[in-house]
Amino acid sequence: MTEARKPQDERREHYGWWVDIPTRWADGDPYGHANNVIYYSWFDTAVTRMLFERGVIWLPDSPSIGLCVESRCSFLAPVEFPQTVQAGVRIGKLGDKSIRFEIGLFVEGREAPVAAGYFVHVYVDRAGRRPSPLTETQKASVADLVVG
């Protein structure tokens, strides 16, 4: 969700990387839809999977890791079991030591998102937890997802 666009105005074509995440029966709350905290879990799953697939981080010995220092989610529509969430990721800002990941959550048959938001990760050295610059290789592996 870039600063110029409202969360409800996001569309699928605004995102460059995708993953499908099936809902689980346990995601539901007494109101019959996924609980708000589950949306953040889907954000985290999408971003982390993209980072692993592109080799920005890896376990168990990645020299740097990203710590979430800021997040936001605009909840726009309910999600129910057994829907599949389609999570789109783009990068709103790629800094020297941080990345702002912007995420849109969609469900089949719906062009508008069910949620949109962001995570800001600051990269730190795994051992000392001090800010650590992203390598040129790390930056290059996500450069195609940077917007505006």
Side-chain angles (χ1 to χ4, degrees), residues 2 7-8 15 27 62 76 98 110 118:
T2 62
Q8 63 269 24
Y15 299 90
D27 293 337
S62 179
L76 304 169
S98 66
R110 183 180 162 97
Y118 65 86

Side-chain angles (χ1 to χ4, degrees), residues 17 19 21 37-52 57 66-68 71 87 89 101 103 105 118-119 121:
W17 186 90
V19 64
I21 306 170
V37 71
I38 301 300
Y39 288 70
Y40 275 103
S41 172
W42 294 330
F43 279 9
D44 194 38
T45 295
V47 167
T48 304
R49 180 140 174 209
M50 184 273 299
L51 291 171
F52 272 78
I57 60 171
L67 301 179
C68 182
S71 65
V89 177
F101 301 99
I103 307 102
L105 301 179
Y118 65 86
F119 276 171
H121 284 185

Side-chain angles (χ1 to χ4, degrees), residues 13-29:
E13 66 265 14
H14 300 157
Y15 299 90
W17 186 90
W18 290 89
V19 64
D20 287 348
I21 306 170
T23 58
R24 305 167 305 159
W25 176 252
D27 293 337
D29 64 18

